[in-house]
Every structure is written in C-alpha cells, then in structure tokens.
C-alpha cells in the first residue's frame, strides 16, 4: 500500500509545501520572502504576514505539480518547531484546518529531524542514503549541532553551539562586509576566487563536541577594523580573500568537531544537513577529509539543504509508518526539543 503525505514548512522565512509518495518526491514548492532583504535579517512580523499570503497558493501549486488531488492525501505533516512562533502558527493552523476538513491524520514534525532526514528523500532512483547509525552535522541559520542518528525516529544531539550558529556567523560577518542577506551564499561565491590563508581569525577552544562562533565574529570585526584603519579600501580590495579566510575558519571549526565525534563514537557514516550544508567549501573539505579518513560521506542535494517542505513530508512518512500521529490541540513551539 502506498502512502501519500502533504508536508508544510513555515518555521522561518520560506513558505513551502511538498508531496511525497512513499519516499519519492512528487513536488516541492518553496516561496522565499524577499521582503527581509532590505532589513538585513528576518523580521518576524513580516514573515508571518507573508506566510499568510503564500500558504494557500503554495499548497495548491504543490498538489498540482504532484498531479495529486487533495483526496489522495493520507496525512498532513507540518513543522511544529523550533522556529519563529508567528511563522509556525500559520503553517500549523493551515495543516490542522486541512487535516480536520479532510478527516486525515495530522503529524507534527521537528524541523531539525526534517533537516537530518532530508537524506532519505528520493528524487531520483539512484539516490543513496546513509546507513544507521550515522553522524549528522546539522548546520543552519539557527542551529549547529552533531546528531547521532540511530533510526529515522531516534536521534540524539551529541554536541551543539553554545552561542551563535554557523549560518549566523556567515550572515553576521557578511553584514559587516556590507553584503546582502542572507550572507552565507554570497560569501560562498566570493570565496571561490579568494585566498583562504589571507587572514587567520581566532578559533575557539571549546570542550567536547560543542561549538562556539561568537569569538570568531568578534575576531572578524576587530581584524577588519584594524586593517581598515591602516588601509581605507581594505574590504573592497580584498573581498574574495576575506570571504575565503572566514569560510575556511568556519569549516575548520566544524570539521575538527566532526573528527572528534568520529573518534568518540567510532561511526564512519557521516552526513551534513541544513542551509550551510549548501556551502561548496564545506562540501569539498568534508569529501576530502572523508576520503583521507576512510569515511562514507553523504552530501544532501542543494535543494534539500535550505528550508523546504520535502524534508517535513519525509519525516511525516516515517512517522505515519510508525503510527505516530498528533492531536489537533498541540500548539507550535518556538523551542522544541527532539523526541
Ligand atoms: O536551514 P536554513 O534554510 O534555515 C534555518 O533553519 O536556519 O539555513 C539558512 C542559513 C543562512 O544562515 C544562510 O546564510 C546559510 O544557511 N546558507 C549558506 C549557504 N546557503 C545558505 N551558508 C554558507 N554557504 C552557503 N552556500
Ligand atoms: Zn532549517
């Protein structure tokens, strides 16, 4: 018997709906909100208003692109958290209303579990996924953590940032450079023509598998201030080199903890997920390191790295198989622990 899931994601500034039949992706529609660009970051109130305007057309397009009628949907999966509460409310209210109207089960999904399970979306028959147990470096605008993943429904955070997320470090440093939001992809592009050894920024010394990026942000700010005092055009003249050096430092911080996690858990199946997993420097460096160390490395397709509803639908699929559905009166939560 095949299972068809409608997934809905609205945790931050992307409104997305996707349809998955079994593990196969039938559609994945993402409407990004450009309104935030002029403010250099996501404005929560504007995000929830844009979700309200987008949600109906996005779901409608996802169903049409999938060639599926609403009566063929077996369950509706939605992001319950973590995220911006006003944004989560739009997706969760829509999902609850639709589940009630259609008389199908509702499945609440943790956004972070969605990023991890994005590796299990099949959008092409040759797609391979990690074997259990595996370690997943989850790096996004709001989170930086290492997960020990035992099965689709069992995963533990074994290390995480104590302050900023890796994506936040990219975005905040990009802001200092006067680059548009979100800065991560812009830095990635500029870094390809730069020298990663141009500047050495401070790296944190944090115990165990935890991360910290606030010191790097400060080091970045002060280094640039000093160089600008000495050379007025420093940023303009060395932009690719500055971006490459920053990106290299972030990659080194991330991968040193992955190496430590591999040693601790003796697991050599390694995946990355989340928006920063789109970073070409990180992808290349992890591939190289994996090759050197004899790890099996899994890089998600770029369209499944940043926020999308396909990853919510795939969690919905596994939850449905496990008989895990959710009550209609469960509220969305800005902070939602895994499990
Ligand atoms: O997973 P995501 O879409 O949203 C959150 O759940 O946070 O991640 C967004 C983050 C932003 O910080 C963005 O700058 C970063 O992912 N990002 C990148 C790249 N593409 C997106 N960072 C570095 N390089 C990229 N290519
Ligand atoms: Zn995310």
């Amino acid at each position: 018997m095949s299972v068809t899931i409608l997934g809905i994601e609205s945790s931050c500034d992307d409104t997305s709906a996707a349809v998955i039949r079994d593990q196969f992706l039938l559609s994945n529609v993402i409407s990004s909100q450009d309104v935030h660009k002029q403010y250099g970051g996501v404005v929560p109130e504007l995000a929830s208003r844009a979700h309200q305007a987008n949600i109906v057309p996005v779901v409608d397009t996802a169903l049409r692109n999938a060639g599926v009628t609403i009566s063929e949907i077996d369950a509706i999966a939605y992001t319950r958290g973590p995220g911006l509460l006003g944004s989560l409310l739009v997706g969760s209210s829509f999902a609850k209303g639709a589940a009630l109207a259609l008389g199908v089960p509702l499945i609440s999904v943790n956004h972070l579990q969605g990023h991890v399970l994005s590796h299990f979306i099949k959008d092409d028959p040759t797609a391979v996924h990690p074997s259990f147990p595996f370690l997943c470096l989850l790096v996004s605008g709001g989170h930086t953590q290492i997960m020990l993943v035992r099965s689709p429904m069992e995963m533990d955070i074994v290390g995480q940032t104590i302050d900023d997320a890796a994506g936040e470090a990219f975005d905040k440093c990009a802001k200092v450079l006067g680059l548009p939001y979100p800065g991560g992809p812009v830095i990635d592009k500029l870094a390809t023509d730069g020298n990663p050894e141009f500047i050495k920024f401070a790296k944190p010394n944090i115990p165990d598998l935890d991360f910290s990026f606030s010191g790097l942000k400060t080091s970045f700010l002060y280094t640039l201030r000093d160089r600008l005092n000495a050379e007025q055009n420093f940023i303009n003249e060395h932009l690719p080199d500055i971006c490459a050096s920053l990106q290299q430092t972030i990659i080194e911080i991330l991968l040193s903890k992955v190496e430590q996690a591999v040693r601790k858990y003796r697991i050599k199946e390694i995946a990355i997920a989340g928006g920063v997993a789109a970073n070409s420097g990180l992808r290349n460096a992890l591939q190289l390191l994996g090759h050197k160390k004899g790890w099996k490395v899994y890089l998600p397709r770029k369209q499944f790295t940043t926020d999308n509803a396909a990853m919510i639908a795939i969690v919905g699929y596994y939850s449905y198989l496990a008989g895990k559905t959710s009550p209609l009166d469960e509220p969305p939560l800005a902070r939602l622990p895994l499990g």
Side-chain angles (χ1 to χ4, degrees), residues 121-132:
I121 302 165
K122 285 198 177 140
D123 64 338
D124 124 30
T126 62
V128 283
H129 56 71
S131 309
F132 298 104

Side-chain angles (χ1 to χ4, degrees), residues 100-115:
L100 193 63
L102 295 169
V104 296
L106 180 73
I107 298 170
S108 67
V109 172
N110 185 303
H111 181 84
L112 304 178
Q113 190 182 1
H115 274 302

